[in-house]
Amino acid sequence: MKINLKQITSGIKSQVAEVKGNLEDFAGAAGKGSFSISAGSNGISINANFNELLEKTKSGTILNSPLADLYDNSKVKEPLQFPADLTDEHYMIFTVKNRVRQSRKDAAEDLTIRNIVLPIPSNLQTTYGAQYENSDLGALGAASAGRISGGQLSAAGNDLSDLISSKINASVGAFKSGDTDAQVQAGAPIAAAVATAAAAKLGGGAGAALGGAFTGASVVQGTMLDEGLAVNPHMAVLFKGVDMREHSFTYKFIARNAEESIAIQKIINAYKYHMHPEYAAGSLAFKYPDEFEVSFADAIAGNLYRIGTCVLKSMNINYNGEGIPLFFQDTGAPVSVEIQLSFQETKIITRGDLDSGLPEPVNSKKQGET
């Protein structure tokens, strides 16, 4: 590190001290940077420029990093990366894909358009969901599902026969005793049956009125109430399907210089461009937006989860990432930008997806290993 000290005396009342320095091979980074610190009657001013240092660090990193293949593919647009000096292996790659056909007879092929490399966000999580609903099977449905045995059906028939017999005996006894209330209660099932037959004969409004006054369903409900019984609906939990997984990532980008401001804007523009459709057949149809394949760095992928092919459903951008307006004086670009990306997978997950194709965790040991 080289530091040049220069003192400048200006007048009698004020004195300004200025320190300038150059950074060479600082912290093992190849390249140069510069800084200056000045102090005077108006306070202390600090100015630094690490552009050249960061650029050299970026160049050296790319050549030796696992991302080198992304920069060596002439058929794909230049990757977008933030920060430029992303040196560790804790990153994610968002690969933009587009389905193309050489002709209408050919099958669609996935064409890689570009790659976007970002650090691992702080909100890295996933959710697995299955859809179920409660349903009333009824006695016949329960029997079909094997939840009611033949013995249970036989016992239910015997109980029903005993109940009918007791009601008939009660009706006979009520008419013999002359008990009017008991006659009405015991004769209700008979009245319901007669009313139903008469309604069928009469038809029209009169038949509907007569049938509504004496419905068999109401009589059954009243009888069950009197006996203190309720029909078992034989509820069951039915599987309906699997939720489409969704993934949300939140990033806060803080630019250290104008170059990083441009990189942030390029990344935002890329996501906006690839998530939207374009017109087809004039304006009568839409051409589908591009899809995304999201993957983790190989060094950490085995301990995380795999993400299927996704579409970008929404992107929220906050250009005041710190809660106050902060902009570069020279360019007017925002200093801190926060973006929220919401993806949804295009296919459901089954056991076959979970049992095959997953990399082995780097710290796992197979049975028998020590």
Side-chain angles (χ1 to χ4, degrees):
M1 176 184 297
K2 298 179 181 179
I3 299 179
N4 301 321
L5 177 63
K6 180 175 66 174
Q7 283 190 335
I8 304 175
T9 303
S10 175
I12 300 176
K13 297 182 179 180
S14 64
Q15 186 176 20
V16 177
E18 183 179 20
V19 179
K20 293 183 178 181
N22 294 323
L23 299 178
E24 296 182 359
D25 301 328
F26 182 73
K32 296 180 180 180
S34 62
F35 70 92
S36 66
I37 304 174
S38 60
S41 58
N42 295 326
I44 299 175
S45 176
I46 301 175
N47 186 23
N49 186 348
F50 300 105
N51 290 347
E52 187 177 355
L53 182 64
L54 291 173
E55 183 63 29
K56 293 292 183 63
T57 304
K58 173 186 172 184
S59 300
T61 302
I62 291 174
L63 294 176
N64 302 319
S65 75
L67 299 173
D69 291 340
L70 299 183
Y71 289 84
D72 194 32
N73 191 342
S74 59
K75 297 182 179 180
V76 180
K77 294 182 179 180
E78 181 181 2
L80 300 176
Q81 177 179 324
F82 189 89
D85 55 342
L86 183 61
T87 57
D88 61 18
E89 293 183 337
H90 299 163
Y91 58 81
M92 301 176 65
I93 302 177
F94 298 84
T95 302
V96 183
K97 296 277 190 175
N98 188 13
R99 293 185 177 182
V100 296
R101 298 176 184 268
Q102 300 299 329
S103 67
R104 293 187 177 182
K105 296 181 180 180
D106 296 333
E109 298 180 357
D110 289 335
L111 176 64
T112 299
I113 300 176
R114 74 168 355 129
N115 295 283
I116 302 174
V117 184
L118 299 176
I120 298 295
S122 59
N123 62 328
L124 188 62
Q125 60 187 25
T126 187
T127 301
Y128 300 88
Q131 302 170 7
Y132 290 88
E133 72 173 12
N134 299 330
S135 179
D136 298 344
L137 296 181
L140 292 179
S144 300
R147 297 191 174 193
I148 298 179
S149 64
Q152 290 175 319
L153 287 175
S154 177
N158 293 333
D159 292 342
L160 182 59
S161 176
D162 293 341
L163 178 60
I164 293 174
S165 297
S166 67
K167 289 297 181 181
I168 292 176
N169 293 332
S171 177
V172 173
F175 281 103
K176 285 183 178 181
S177 65
D179 187 346
T180 305
D181 292 338
Q183 290 176 5
V184 171
Q185 182 179 5
I190 301 174
V194 173
T196 302
K201 289 287 186 180
L202 292 174
L210 183 61
F214 298 94
T215 59
S218 62
V219 172
V220 171
Q221 291 174 353
T223 302
M224 298 293 287
L225 175 63
D226 181 57
E227 293 294 328
L229 298 175
V231 177
N232 181 4
H234 295 282
M235 293 189 66
V237 179
L238 303 182
F239 176 71
K240 301 297 293 182
V242 178
D243 294 336
M244 293 283 193
R245 282 199 308 170
E246 296 189 3
H247 307 277
S248 296
F249 308 108
T250 300
Y251 290 98
K252 179 179 285 187
F253 298 141
I254 300 178
R256 294 171 290 185
N257 49 49
E259 181 184 356
E260 290 193 343
S261 295
I262 296 174
I264 293 172
Q265 192 59 46
K266 285 183 177 180
I267 291 173
I268 293 174
N269 290 340
Y271 279 121
K272 287 193 297 185
Y273 177 83
H274 293 296
M275 73 177 291
H276 284 90
E278 60 181 289
Y279 283 124
S283 59
L284 297 179
F286 287 117
K287 183 179 178 182
Y288 269 42
D290 298 322
E291 297 178 341
F292 294 80
E293 290 185 358
V294 185
S295 59
F296 299 102
D298 292 340
I300 60 175
N303 295 293
L304 296 175
Y305 53 95
R306 188 172 60 183
I307 301 176
T309 302
C310 296
V311 293
L312 180 55
K313 291 182 61 178
S314 68
M315 178 174 66
N316 297 324
I317 309 170
N318 179 11
Y319 289 100
N320 288 334
E322 302 302 321
I324 57 175
L326 292 176
F327 298 88
F328 284 100
Q329 184 175 359
D330 296 337
T331 63
V335 175
S336 178
V337 180
E338 184 178 79
I339 66 172
Q340 297 177 346
L341 304 171
S342 296
F343 294 88
Q344 178 178 301
E345 296 186 7
T346 59
K347 295 180 180 180
I348 64 171
I349 291 180
T350 64
R351 290 179 179 176
D353 299 315
L354 298 174
D355 292 340
S356 63
L358 288 174
E360 290 288 339
V362 294
N363 57 356
S364 67
K365 294 181 179 180
K366 296 180 179 180
Q367 187 174 5
E369 293 181 346
T370 58

